[in-house]
Amino acid sequence: MGHQVSGSVGALMVDEGDRRGQRRWRFALLFAAALVAAIALQPLRQGQLPNLLGQVPEQILGESAPGTSGVRLGDANVAIGGGGYVTGIYFHPQVPDLAYIRTDVGGFYRWEAGDRWVPITDHFTLDQRNFYGGEALALDPNNPDIVYIAAGKYLWDKSGSLFKSTDRGQTWTQLPLELPIGGNEPRRWVGERLVVNPHNSNEVWFGSRSNGLWRSSNGGQTWQAVENFPGEPDDEVGISAIAFDPAQTGRLFVNAFEDGVYESVNGGQTWQRLSSGPRRVRQMVVDGRGTLYVTSEEDWGVARYRDRWQAITPPKAKKEAVFNGISLSPHNPGELVVSLGETPRTAIFYSPDGGQTWQERTVETRSTVPWWTNFMRSQPAIASLRFDPWVPNRVWLTDWYGVWRTDDIRAEPSLWTNYVQGHEEIVTFALAAPPEGPLLLSGVADVDGFRHADLQRYPSSQLGLEKDKTAWQDTYSIAYSARQPLSLVRVGGNRWENRYGVALSADGGQTWQTRSLPSEAMPLRVAVSATDPSNFVVTLSDAQPVVTQDGGQTWQTVSGLPEGGNGPWNWSQSLAADAKEGGVFYYYADGTLYRSNDGGRSFLTLNDRLPKEWWHSLKAEPGQEKELWLSLNQKGLHRSLDGGATFQQISAVEQAYLFALGKAPQPGRPAALYLYGTVAGQPRMGIYQSLDQGQTWQPLGNPERPIGNEPNVMEASQQQFGLVFIGTNGRGIYYGDR
């Protein structure tokens, strides 16, 4: 999504400083990760505002959501609906409705039963998180069961790899070709760089970003570098597209980005550069007569090659327009569609005669997701276009947020409907599960956040969008007042505009009022007084925290605390409010626990003998005074009963990557404790539940779906015992109670 992913016109071109900051945080994540795999089925035992908006309507109290019981953690997502960049779509020519999509940060999906997308790479563990980047996908046109993928998010992370499935993505075999692969790197919408030779299914080609051109002659079992390929692409995009002539055996085209297109007529033994043509080609297709069609970034726009290059750009397109998607109809020779690339609105052109004449399609959209905004419905940054091989005139497209389809591209206007059920690609920043009101609230990247009254239905709107126009690009943190849990505070804003603020709700997130911050710095975390919703502390990115005691009308700088961490790609939870005592707040940083007894105006060092760990989470035990839990990743899970003066390490926990505190199984019992980490006697990371404050642990979840796409936030329901939520970096929010 991208994100990191999508959400505004500014988001279409990634800010380099923001991307470098994101990379620093993710690079550090490499040192925090451990293997995730199957978990033993036996329990493991320790070795010895005042109301700002008036009275709250009674009907919103005690909301619950259906369908949350008996769901195995890892098998189901909270229904949100798309929200991330789909960079390619693929159809098999032999089987109707057999289709796949690749995404930049959410892995790969298969179209199932004609109505939903099913994730097919959720088996990757946390240690394999880089494989959730979708660089490329290839189908064997002669065998509908065989599919190949090139998986890797970032060139700087652990090497990506190629994988092969012989059962349509049910299971995968890793192939012996590991290279830097960047599904979320620049120009991730180009392609296709992974291709099966339609004349010989054993022959598979892959164009890498920085390691040249590769070929396998035995279905991916072994690979050889094509050392005689003379192209000199740039070192960021590399060999970006490969296309075979469907009619002439041995003829193929390879695009070396920034250098141009090369042709071979003898299966790659020799090569010839197609001179005087476009050098920044994005996508390529070849028709049944051997004509090559391309989209490019230059004045060429759209071009074709029949012994020579010819520009065929639609006349109505602006000269500086950048074209991206392109597809040829398998039903009608010469029928062609193309689209613009990084634009804030749809621009699709249709040609019935191979580009000799063009008609710009007027597009009308019908969204099946109620919260999708006008901008999202404008189909920004179209990545791919594809004629359906089984239904004439039907065309699919993918864009920054999901998948669309029209059943008649010839119609004027053409009606497009989005098909995103099952495609959950949101990047989460924050989750809150209060004891009253909605079961869950989420803060996410690029599409603000949501109030989830029903986990199986799409939200009706983004937080605050419909009623008071307070929707942001991002929400970084959400907190509620322990004694008045319908009183919420969230922080966020528009990252690409460097504009941030605070929003307050007194009705469980149904409506919001915005407040300004005293600084232009990015807010990171918020904690709200247990007894006074108008008293809350906000930490800022690379700046001193601030505090308000009148609901954001006035602010003052907090004394006694270090500057906040660098945001926004920082998921450590450093700030917490005491669960009972209204004036008490806590803060952890660099091995030190700080406490405030005056409503957050000043903090004093209380304990400077804790382990130092940048990846951490600090939380207060619900309903208990001065009871704290602190996770320190490889340095374990720690508990304090005296407001942070002393901590005791939970000896059964060897690694505490994430944790959560949820509703107790019975009144008077301790809060249910949940862990994403490693416990004694188990060498691998998993998800666990403890009902005795960490003495014994019971594994949760599906070992075959370990929630490995960089899980970044974990919360447990305060309304339903056993219900757990885990937010990720590109696979949305998982939920389950077993």
Side-chain angles (χ1 to χ4, degrees):
M1 143 46 115
H3 309 323
Q4 142 115 25
V5 284
S6 51
S8 66
V9 178
L12 300 180
M13 302 301 290
V14 177
D15 177 82
E16 286 299 317
D18 192 16
R19 181 145 53 91
R20 285 194 297 269
Q22 176 183 358
R23 289 178 175 180
R24 286 195 299 269
W25 280 106
R26 288 185 173 165
F27 182 77
L29 265 174
L30 293 174
F31 300 98
L35 290 173
V36 182
I39 307 166
L41 298 178
Q42 307 300 322
L44 300 172
R45 194 163 293 275
Q46 181 182 8
Q48 287 333 312
L49 305 155
N51 192 323
L52 297 175
L53 301 178
Q55 295 299 313
V56 179
E58 290 184 1
Q59 61 267 28
I60 73 169
L61 298 176
E63 280 189 49
S64 62
T68 58
S69 180
V71 178
R72 186 164 55 169
L73 187 60
D75 289 352
N77 287 98
V78 175
I80 296 175
Y85 203 5
V86 182
T87 47
I89 188 167
Y90 309 82
F91 296 89
H92 200 280
Q94 293 184 355
V95 180
D97 279 336
L98 180 54
Y100 300 84
I101 55 174
R102 64 178 168 99
T103 69
D104 57 357
V105 296
F108 299 81
Y109 299 73
R110 184 184 63 247
W111 185 239
E112 186 170 279
D115 66 354
R116 66 179 293 109
W117 298 102
V118 176
I120 57 175
T121 50
D122 274 8
H123 64 286
F124 289 130
T125 66
L126 176 60
D127 195 51
Q128 298 170 312
R129 63 196 174 278
N130 196 38
F131 294 154
Y132 284 91
E135 179 83 286
L137 184 147
L139 303 178
D140 181 347
N142 305 304
N143 187 335
D145 295 330
I146 294 178
V147 56
Y148 298 85
I149 58 173
K153 279 187 185 180
Y154 301 105
L155 300 178
W156 51 265
D157 207 336
K158 290 182 178 180
S159 290
S161 185
L162 270 60
F163 296 83
K164 180 180 182 179
S165 174
T166 57
D167 53 13
R168 305 187 185 187
Q170 297 289 341
T171 60
W172 295 92
T173 299
Q174 186 170 0
L175 301 179
L177 183 61
E178 297 186 54
L179 300 167
I181 289 177
N184 196 35
E185 294 284 358
R187 293 182 177 84
R188 51 197 178 275
W189 45 80
V190 302
E192 295 295 325
R193 62 173 77 235
L194 179 62
V195 178
V196 177
N197 185 345
H199 307 286
N200 178 4
S201 291
N202 286 322
E203 190 175 301
V204 187
W205 292 67
F206 177 64
S208 72
R209 286 181 177 263
S210 55
N211 292 78
L213 183 63
W214 293 79
R215 176 175 56 195
S216 172
S217 301
N218 52 15
Q221 295 181 51
T222 59
W223 294 82
Q224 301 80 37
V226 184
E227 296 180 352
N228 69 330
F229 180 70
E232 297 181 356
D234 82 329
D235 59 2
E236 190 173 49
V237 181
I239 307 294
S240 60
I242 304 166
F244 280 87
D245 186 334
Q248 182 177 334
T249 301
R251 185 171 184 240
L252 72 155
F253 302 90
V254 175
N255 177 49
F257 195 79
E258 297 276 12
D259 185 28
V261 179
Y262 288 78
E263 177 188 20
S264 175
V265 295
N266 51 20
Q269 296 180 48
T270 59
W271 300 89
Q272 178 182 357
R273 185 173 177 274
L274 304 183
S275 59
S276 303
R279 292 176 175 268
R280 299 167 67 87
V281 169
R282 290 196 162 191
Q283 298 185 17
M284 308 191 303
V285 291
V286 185
D287 70 11
R289 297 180 297 172
T291 302
L292 172 69
Y293 293 84
V294 305
T295 55
S296 79
E297 298 182 9
E298 303 153 294
D299 291 344
W300 285 95
V302 185
R304 69 185 176 198
Y305 182 83
R306 295 175 181 167
D307 300 322
R308 65 181 180 86
W309 286 105
Q310 180 183 4
I312 57 169
T313 303
K316 288 187 177 181
K318 294 182 179 180
K319 185 177 181 181
E320 68 275 11
V322 175
F323 282 85
N324 199 48
I326 185 169
S327 183
L328 289 162
S329 171
H331 306 284
N332 301 301
E335 196 171 24
L336 178 69
V337 288
V338 296
S339 66
L340 296 186
E342 303 86 277
T343 60
R345 71 171 188 87
T346 309
I348 297 173
F349 298 87
Y350 167 81
S351 174
D353 50 20
Q356 296 183 60
T357 61
W358 292 96
Q359 306 159 17
E360 183 173 4
R361 297 286 75 150
T362 302
V363 171
E364 292 184 359
T365 58
R366 181 178 69 88
S367 176
T368 60
V369 184
W371 61 267
W372 275 29
T373 64
N374 289 333
F375 176 72
M376 297 174 71
R377 291 193 293 268
S378 74
Q379 301 171 334
I382 294 174
S384 62
L385 283 171
R386 290 290 184 274
F387 276 98
D388 192 303
W390 293 93
V391 182
N393 303 324
R394 174 179 287 177
V395 176
W396 300 71
L397 70 79
T398 71
D399 66 9
W400 206 266
Y401 298 102
V403 181
W404 296 84
R405 188 183 85 192
T406 181
D407 288 334
D408 191 358
I409 190 63
R410 295 185 176 186
E412 182 60 27
S414 57
L415 176 64
W416 295 77
T417 302
N418 55 351
Y419 292 84
V420 298
Q421 186 175 1
H423 167 224
E424 296 293 347
E425 201 189 345
I426 293 295
V427 174
T428 54
F429 280 123
L431 299 174
E436 296 179 24
L439 202 62
L440 180 70
L441 295 109
S442 62
V444 304
D446 297 307
V447 289
D448 189 11
F450 304 94
R451 183 181 188 272
H452 306 275
D454 185 335
L455 303 183
Q456 297 179 325
R457 293 179 181 272
Y458 298 144
S460 60
S461 66
Q462 294 168 277
L463 288 176
L465 177 62
E466 296 299 329
K467 294 186 178 180
D468 58 5
K469 309 299 180 186
T470 59
W472 296 326
Q473 180 185 4
D474 306 325
T475 290
Y476 302 125
S477 181
I478 305 173
Y480 59 87
S481 175
R483 297 288 188 90
Q484 301 182 47
L486 294 177
S487 296
L488 304 166
V489 182
R490 62 188 176 103
V491 296
N494 295 77
R495 182 180 358 122
W496 303 109
E497 301 171 8
N498 198 33
R499 179 169 51 86
Y500 306 103
V502 176
L504 292 79
S505 174
D507 55 11
Q510 293 191 107
T511 59
W512 297 87
Q513 293 182 341
T514 55
R515 299 286 187 267
S516 298
L517 284 165
S519 167
E520 293 184 355
M522 175 185 294
L524 293 181
R525 303 288 174 262
V526 61
V528 184
S529 164
T531 59
D532 181 2
S534 63
N535 177 196
F536 48 90
V537 179
V538 177
T539 64
L540 304 175
S541 176
D542 297 318
Q544 288 292 316
V546 293
V547 61
T548 179
Q549 295 187 318
D550 55 13
Q553 300 291 343
T554 61
W555 297 87
Q556 69 181 74
T557 301
V558 172
S559 64
L561 287 183
E563 291 185 348
N566 178 260
W569 313 110
N570 172 1
W571 287 273
S572 289
Q573 304 291 322
S574 304
L575 179 67
D578 192 89
K580 291 192 74 173
E581 195 169 345
V584 177
F585 292 83
Y586 306 96
Y587 188 86
Y588 169 86
D590 201 25
T592 299
L593 194 286
Y594 303 84
R595 186 170 73 189
S596 171
N597 296 317
D598 59 3
R601 293 191 298 272
S602 63
F603 282 74
L604 297 174
T605 298
L606 191 65
N607 186 333
D608 60 2
R609 302 175 303 280
L610 292 166
K612 296 181 180 181
E613 175 58 56
W614 68 271
W615 180 260
H616 60 268
S617 184
L618 177 67
K619 298 179 181 182
E621 172 98 11
Q624 301 300 315
E625 184 178 349
K626 296 183 178 179
E627 187 164 338
L628 298 175
W629 292 82
L630 175 65
S631 64
L632 296 174
N633 199 24
Q634 299 284 0
K635 296 166 186 175
L637 181 64
H638 304 254
R639 181 187 181 203
S640 174
L641 298 175
D642 54 12
T646 61
F647 279 86
Q648 179 183 4
Q649 185 169 354
I650 305 301
S651 60
V653 176
E654 296 176 349
Q655 181 181 5
Y657 188 76
L658 295 171
F659 83 101
L661 296 160
K663 184 177 182 178
Q666 293 92 27
R669 293 280 303 278
L673 179 61
Y674 302 90
L675 176 76
Y676 190 120
T678 305
V679 298
Q682 290 292 306
R684 295 174 178 172
M685 184 176 287
I687 304 169
Y688 301 88
Q689 178 194 69
S690 175
L691 303 182
D692 53 13
Q693 299 175 319
Q695 294 186 63
T696 60
W697 295 90
Q698 176 74 33
L700 294 177
N702 183 351
E704 296 180 357
R705 301 170 70 89
I707 311 182
N709 192 5
E710 297 184 71
N712 47 40
V713 59
M714 185 178 191
E715 289 296 332
S717 176
Q718 300 296 327
Q719 298 182 31
Q720 295 182 211
F721 165 68
L723 184 58
V724 186
F725 306 98
I726 299 179
T728 68
N729 202 0
R731 273 291 287 119
I733 305 165
Y734 291 88
Y735 74 94
D737 66 352
R738 67 181 180 90

